[in-house]
Amino acid sequence: MPQQLTIALSKGRIFEETLPLLAAAGIVPSEAPENSRKLIIPTNHPNIRLVIVRASDVPTYVQYGAADLGIAGKDVLIEHGGEGLCQPLDLNIAQCRMMVAVQKGFDYAHASQAGKRLRVATKYPSIAAEHFAAKGVHVDIIKLYGSMELAPLVGLSDCIVDLVSTGNTLKANNLEAVEHIANISSRLIVNKAALKTKYALLNPIVETFARAVQS
Ligand code: ADP
Ligand code: PRP
Ligand code: MG
């Protein structure tokens, strides 16, 4: 039996931005996840398949070897912790920034003085906790799964820690960014064991992705 390679991707921007990289490696999915309810998508290579999972689940599938490789945002990788994963390449796709944002007019400088407690709503509790701990600001972290921008508007939190790209979502909700935490892009991740046992299959893909990123 030839070795199988399973690639974990999330729908939407990661899938779209990964298509050209896959094409450079001669890998063409048989269908797009947007048009299908299928979670396992074959490719033109009989021994390479894609699995479609939530963005925040990609590292988990790769960590346990259910997928051999995947593509995940640095935000997701920091929250996951990275156990069992190699991160050989920054693909420079899905670029954005992790920011602290508040409702316009909110006195963030005063509210984030040491000694006060700040309520922070976020999908990224580890990143937020580390950021505020480094500043010596005491926080109560409120874990959300989406629509973070709503939280300060309805009094759930004083600020949010979220991703910003164009800034349109902040603007549309009368929020402003007050602190930059990190630049974010997506990385290729590979299961540590698979990197050894499936080296002959994996290495050409990693090398092709590396060349495609540089060009
Ligand atoms: P989710 O359903 O988890 O929100 P997304 O497809 O929106 O999945 O996000 C996947 C990854 O893309 C994130 O982990 C992040 O690294 C990046 N990302 C998220 N939002 C943006 C954005 N507005 N612009 C560019 N990259 C983004
Ligand atoms: C992401 C992020 C912000 C928005 C920022 O949401 O959570 O809300 O993009 O991008 P902008 O600065 O260009 O407006 P996404 O579009 O992924 O929606 P989601 O709530 O489905 O994750
Ligand atoms: Mg999103």
Side-chain angles (χ1 to χ4, degrees):
M1 256 266 291
Q3 279 186 321
Q4 276 277 337
L5 212 58
T6 301
I7 306 176
L9 295 176
S10 54
K11 275 187 194 183
R13 53 173 62 88
I14 300 258
F15 185 85
E16 299 304 328
E17 295 195 43
T18 301
L19 273 180
L21 297 173
L22 290 173
I27 303 166
V28 182
S30 68
E31 54 196 302
E34 268 68 21
N35 306 328
S36 165
R37 297 294 301 165
K38 267 194 194 162
L39 299 175
I40 299 180
I41 299 189
T43 71
N44 57 327
H45 279 252
N47 52 347
I48 301 180
R49 62 182 184 171
L50 309 182
V51 291
I52 304 302
V53 303
R54 290 291 295 265
S56 51
D57 291 335
V58 169
T60 307
Y61 278 80
V62 177
Q63 173 188 6
Y64 290 100
D68 302 295
L69 67 166
I71 293 171
K74 190 175 157 194
D75 49 328
V76 163
L77 289 166
I78 295 171
E79 288 295 321
H80 170 270
E83 309 95 272
L85 305 176
C86 291
Q87 299 184 26
L89 268 184
D90 186 342
L91 300 170
N92 291 330
I93 60 172
Q95 292 186 353
C96 51
R97 303 172 306 282
M98 188 66 73
M99 308 283 284
V100 181
V102 298
Q103 198 165 5
K104 275 195 184 136
F106 179 80
D107 190 350
Y108 179 70
H110 179 74
S112 62
Q113 273 168 7
K116 296 191 188 289
R117 282 192 93 79
L118 197 67
R119 285 174 308 148
V120 183
T122 187
K123 191 170 153 185
Y124 307 99
S126 300
I127 294 172
E130 194 185 321
H131 173 71
F132 289 106
K135 289 181 35 143
V137 175
H138 295 285
V139 290
D140 291 319
I141 302 227
I142 301 166
K143 164 82 187 181
L144 293 177
Y145 293 86
S147 302
M148 266 80 76
E149 291 87 355
L150 178 65
L153 306 181
V154 293
L156 180 61
S157 71
D158 299 314
C159 66
I160 62 171
V161 167
D162 193 14
L163 297 169
V164 178
S165 175
T166 60
N168 288 342
T169 311
L170 292 183
K171 203 170 162 199
N173 292 291
N174 194 38
L175 302 180
E176 61 186 355
V178 288
E179 258 167 18
H180 175 273
I181 300 180
N183 288 331
I184 301 292
S185 56
S186 286
R187 289 160 187 235
L188 180 66
I189 57 174
V190 185
N191 175 272
K192 272 193 179 154
L195 198 55
K196 297 194 181 105
T197 57
K198 297 188 179 178
Y199 185 82
L201 261 176
L202 276 167
N203 192 50
I205 295 178
V206 177
E207 302 250 292
T208 307
F209 278 20
R211 277 197 300 276
V213 171
Q214 277 157 16
S215 67

